[in-house]
Amino acid sequence: MNKVILQPQVQDFLFENSSLDVNHVALSKSSFPDISGQELSAQLASRKKAEKKLPDWFKTKGVYYPPLLSMEQCSSQITAEFKATLVEGESLIDLTGGFGVDCYYFAKKFNTVTHCEYNADLSAIAAANADPLQEKNIQFINGDGIEYLKKSNAQFDCIYLDPARRSAGSKVFQLKDCSPDVVEHLGLLLSKSNQVMIKTAPLLDISAGLKELDNVAEVHIISVKNECKELIWILKRDFRGVPEIIAHTINDQIKHFSFHRGEEKIIASEEEPIQGNYLYEPDVALLKSGAFQLIAERYGLYRIHPQTQLYHSAELQSQFPGRIFQIDSIKTAGELKKEKGLKGNVIVRNYPDKAAALVTKYRIQPEDHIFYLFTQSTKKGKIIIKAQIIQHY
């Protein structure tokens, strides 16, 4: 960490030159004798990443940014703020503190927060940012969070950790393959706190995670604008019941869909969609939950096909977490082929062709509010639903 970067004149440069080409800056001679072009470029690149991901950081002078990889891996402001609403208490320890984004928002809820980070540079950066971000109740510790916990006599109201995959290229992983190994240290974690919060990537299969972990009270699926961002597992020391699964969809408003394991096995009714009905496409958080049947039962909807996660109803269900359309027409492929001047967007659900190929085949021109949903129904087989969107994600 080069603390010269925090000098006012350097911060002014970073604020006034956000649009500079970072590669050009890296290859150019620096205007500051104690800072290289590569260091300035790295700060500009990470700050650009923060503009949308961490707007509080972006607008604050004096923030020191980590390498771009750390910026890509850290929580976004919107998910960090939301996570802080899921737990409560007086004291929290973050065993994998990183850049400190999660700690910053936990500190707004908890009186004392302990930030543990093994990487010395990241620990120093997080500590240095405490002053400009006005963090007053966070203690920063450079060291292994698990080892610190073993040696500490303290009890915490909540323990938070974000285990990293040991194999960076792996797309599917188990918790036991992450570092720190939550499964191995679960006894230690629950001995130090009644409440343990674990963040994992959305790739982790919920059923597999529940087999690895004991004492899981809640699993939170967080999506932002129909992109699944995180799975949050909340473990409680004395919990022995059935876990609750909660899908949170964060868009212009936040919607929630919750159920307990076992409820999703209900069988939903199927009916053919008709012109004028409302058509529902679930947000990815609902799809990740696996409650395909329960979605229909909760909102009074009908399924179109057992393998098609599309639903419909005669009455509008505006609280549905996902996109809502109103059906204009339902046609076969042969009927659609006869039409000319088609305009709209293509969605493919349980249909043998890809969207790009269908756009070319039917010569469909772009149109913001019209959609052609290529799908299948139980009775009619392959169908194309033309619909107008009335609610975005």
Side-chain angles (χ1 to χ4, degrees), residues 104-125:
Y104 176 77
Y105 289 99
F106 285 134
K108 294 179 180 296
K109 286 280 301 284
F110 290 79
N111 289 337
T112 60
V113 172
T114 304
H115 173 285
C116 296
E117 174 51 50
Y118 185 79
N119 182 293
D121 284 338
L122 269 181
S123 181
I125 289 169

Side-chain angles (χ1 to χ4, degrees), residues 296-313:
E297 193 272 339
R298 286 278 182 88
Y299 292 98
L301 312 178
Y302 294 102
R303 299 189 77 186
I304 292 177
H305 184 278
Q307 303 303 319
T308 301
Q309 313 314 333
L310 292 172
Y311 306 83
H312 69 99
S313 68

Side-chain angles (χ1 to χ4, degrees), residues 52 137 173 329 343 362:
K52 291 185 178 179
N137 55 337
F173 62 94
S329 63
K343 292 185 178 181
Y362 293 98

Side-chain angles (χ1 to χ4, degrees), residues 3-16 32 35 61-62:
K3 293 185 178 180
V4 179
I5 288 172
L6 297 177
Q7 291 181 353
Q9 62 269 32
V10 182
Q11 289 295 303
D12 289 342
F13 172 86
L14 294 172
F15 262 69
E16 294 165 6
F32 307 99
I35 306 172
K61 280 191 177 181

Side-chain angles (χ1 to χ4, degrees), residues 216-284:
V216 179
E218 303 165 12
V219 181
H220 297 265
I221 309 163
I222 303 174
S223 76
V224 180
K225 297 189 183 300
N226 198 41
E227 183 180 351
C228 203
K229 295 292 189 181
E230 300 175 359
L231 293 183
I232 301 298
W233 308 72
I234 296 182
L235 286 58
K236 296 185 177 179
R237 183 188 294 157
D238 300 321
F239 185 81
R240 299 293 184 273
V242 179
E244 184 179 12
I245 314 295
I246 309 104
H248 307 278
T249 62
I250 304 175
N251 302 294
D252 293 335
Q253 57 180 304
I254 300 176
K255 296 180 180 179
H256 314 276
F257 181 86
S258 67
F259 63 96
H260 288 86
R261 293 279 289 181
E263 285 187 85
E264 74 273 22
K265 295 178 181 178
I266 188 171
I267 303 300
S269 299
E270 291 180 18
E271 276 194 11
E272 291 294 309
I274 61 174
Q275 183 179 3
N277 271 17
Y278 296 96
L279 187 72
Y280 304 85
E281 182 189 30
D283 183 278
V284 293

Side-chain angles (χ1 to χ4, degrees), residues 66-113:
L68 194 56
L69 179 61
S70 293
M71 285 295 297
E72 291 170 348
Q73 293 176 341
C74 74
S75 296
S76 67
Q77 179 173 323
I78 195 168
T79 57
E81 282 182 304
F82 184 76
K83 280 200 294 284
T85 69
L86 301 178
V87 286
E88 57 186 18
E90 299 293 321
S91 61
L92 177 143
I93 183 170
D94 183 345
L95 301 182
T96 54
F99 183 38
V101 175
D102 288 317
C103 272
Y104 176 77
Y105 289 99
F106 285 134
K108 294 179 180 296
K109 286 280 301 284
F110 290 79
N111 289 337
T112 60
V113 172

